[in-house]
Amino acid sequence: MPSDREVIGLHEPQFCGNEWDYLEECLTTGWVSSVGKFVDRFEQMLAEYTGVKRAIAVVNGTAALHIALKVIGVKTGDEVLVPTLTFVATANAVEYCGAIPHFADSEEKSLGLDPHKLEIWLNEIAELRHGECFNRQTGRRIKAVIAMHTFGHPVDLDPLLEVCRRFKLELIEDAAESIGSFYKGRHTGNWGKFATLSFNGNKTITTGGGGAILTNDEELGKEVKHLTTTAKIPHPWAYYHDRVGYNYRLPNINAALGCAQMEQLDSFLEKKRILAERYKFAFSKVQGIRFFTEPDFAQSNYWLNVLLLDDENAFIRDTLLKKLNTSGIMARPAWTLMHKLPMFHSCPRMDVSTAENIESRLINIPSGALLL
């Protein structure tokens, strides 16, 4: 096996801006915890870049999803439609609310939730009662849809939003992987009532750990900020909390890192698109495999680059993964589909054959801006 120094990472962070200066300021002033100027600045930078009215920084993307689901009214016993091709955090956040993930299929053109197949499925199993959607098969309310922008490639949002309107469903965009990605010229995160971001160490920009909630509803934004800061009523010294809140605040020292990273985001994205173009050219000459490119309605950040084997070559996926990793090139398969995980075996689902097919053929390859 190659040593760590010889391994080409899947998506390593790049620190070449003001990171050290901003972190030093936090340490020098002592503002390292949940209050400080960098939290406010980071939230403002996120809102301005994505075009939303309000961004609330939180401790990670999973916490962001949890709060988004709580605030839109997901309750114990509800169902939430979730792509089976997603990271486990998407389904876990539904469980945190006492709700049940209801797994949906994906489409190959975006790798994300298939709005047309979802509409056919809901026509079969859903009914409206008093302005709300119910699953005739289980008797449970279907409250929301989570659309995850897979590997940074936007879901086809317009037809999905129409499905949500027709069936009275709330839409949340799991944009954890898609900062810097645009759908029809507008940044992801502007279609759902909420969208969520992640700034884990392997994301396009990082705060070490961290996430954010985006919304175009100012009042809901205030509620989210309140709930994620333990529902404390502002006061110079008294501690009074008016609701059950959550200690999901992003520390100032992490936000400082995020501010420095946001200053470099355009540069990161430019490098990642150049890398994607080079991959596209290189693999255009290889038979039996193709480099996945953004759908025609989107501009993707190419967070993690994707190779798709032809159907007849799917059987060599694991052999390729082993060869790449033992050669010092970090590569991985898609996440194990949610309905295959033991804790979600009994959850409802539609036919997910496209997601199963994608999972069997997909390989992620090194994608960081640091490679250029």
Side-chain angles (χ1 to χ4, degrees), residues 2-311:
S3 67
D4 288 344
R5 290 184 178 180
E6 297 171 329
V7 171
I8 300 173
L10 196 64
H11 200 293
E12 296 176 338
Q14 186 173 15
F15 305 116
C16 53
N18 289 314
E19 288 89 351
W20 285 105
D21 291 339
Y22 293 168
L23 292 175
E24 183 179 17
E25 181 178 337
C26 291
L27 296 173
T28 301
T29 61
W31 291 99
V32 298
S33 194
S34 56
V35 177
K37 74 173 190 179
F38 287 112
V39 175
D40 296 336
R41 184 183 170 204
F42 187 47
E43 291 180 340
Q44 182 179 359
M45 292 174 84
L46 289 171
E48 290 177 354
Y49 183 83
T50 60
V52 301
K53 292 182 179 178
R54 190 74 188 271
I56 302 94
V58 294
V59 69
N60 55 52
T62 311
L65 277 171
H66 180 206
I67 290 295
L69 289 163
K70 292 282 289 186
V71 172
I72 66 167
V74 172
K75 301 184 185 306
T76 299
D78 284 344
E79 293 180 10
V80 176
L81 290 154
V82 173
T84 191
L85 178 60
T86 188
F87 181 58
V88 71
T90 315
N92 281 346
V94 175
E95 288 279 349
Y96 296 167
C97 297
I100 298 97
H102 183 145
F103 296 118
D105 204 9
S106 297
E107 58 180 353
E108 190 165 321
K109 74 175 180 180
S110 71
L111 303 178
L113 197 150
D114 185 334
H116 307 290
K117 195 169 179 179
L118 178 62
E119 182 177 24
I120 293 169
W121 176 240
L122 289 173
N123 279 331
E124 180 180 335
I125 63 101
E127 64 182 8
L128 295 179
R129 303 179 201 162
H130 309 294
E132 294 187 306
C133 185
F134 285 82
N135 185 340
R136 285 196 298 266
Q137 296 179 343
T138 65
R140 294 188 289 253
R141 181 176 68 159
I142 307 175
K143 179 62 179 175
V145 178
I146 301 178
M148 199 274 288
H149 302 303
T150 313
F151 307 126
H153 298 291
V155 170
D156 196 355
L157 287 161
D158 282 345
L160 179 58
L161 196 59
E162 186 56 39
V163 172
C164 290
R165 289 186 182 126
R166 180 182 167 197
F167 288 95
K168 311 300 182 185
L169 301 169
E170 300 286 3
L171 175 63
I172 294 174
E173 293 176 64
D174 183 346
E177 302 164 5
S178 70
I179 190 165
S181 294
F182 294 79
Y183 176 77
K184 297 184 178 179
R186 194 178 184 192
H187 198 284
T188 55
N190 280 280
W191 278 258
K193 184 164 284 187
F194 290 111
T196 61
L197 300 173
S198 170
F199 308 115
N200 189 34
N202 67 347
K203 295 299 193 296
T204 303
I205 64 166
T206 184
T207 58
I213 301 167
L214 309 178
T215 185
N216 282 307
D217 187 314
E218 290 280 9
E219 291 305 311
L220 289 180
K222 291 177 184 177
E223 182 179 1
V224 166
K225 186 70 171 180
H226 185 56
L227 284 177
T228 56
T229 53
T230 68
K232 180 182 179 296
I233 301 297
H235 191 278
W237 62 82
Y239 282 81
Y240 182 82
H241 308 259
D242 63 352
R243 296 173 62 177
V244 174
Y246 299 85
N247 190 6
Y248 283 172
R249 299 169 289 187
L250 182 71
N252 192 53
I253 195 167
N254 295 87
L257 190 62
C259 289
Q261 290 272 286
M262 281 295 295
E263 291 169 356
Q264 303 166 80
L265 177 56
D266 287 341
S267 173
F268 293 162
L269 293 170
E270 182 180 2
K271 291 177 181 178
K272 287 170 65 60
R273 288 191 70 82
I274 291 171
L275 179 62
E277 284 297 324
R278 291 181 181 178
Y279 276 139
K280 179 183 176 182
F281 176 75
F283 283 100
S284 68
K285 303 177 182 180
V286 181
Q287 292 186 346
I289 194 169
R290 70 179 175 93
F291 179 74
F292 184 86
T293 56
E294 63 202 1
D296 57 10
F297 50 68
Q299 178 180 316
S300 175
N301 65 5
Y302 284 96
W303 171 56
L304 283 188
N305 289 304
V306 170
L307 298 178
L308 284 174
L309 293 159
D310 292 350
D311 285 332

Side-chain angles (χ1 to χ4, degrees), residues 1-2 309 315-333 362-364:
M1 291 289 290
L309 293 159
F315 73 97
I316 66 170
R317 185 201 67 174
D318 290 351
T319 301
L320 286 175
L321 286 167
K322 182 177 181 181
K323 180 66 174 177
L324 287 167
N325 281 281
T326 55
S327 299
I329 301 171
M330 190 174 291
R332 74 178 198 192
L362 188 147
I363 295 175
N364 288 127

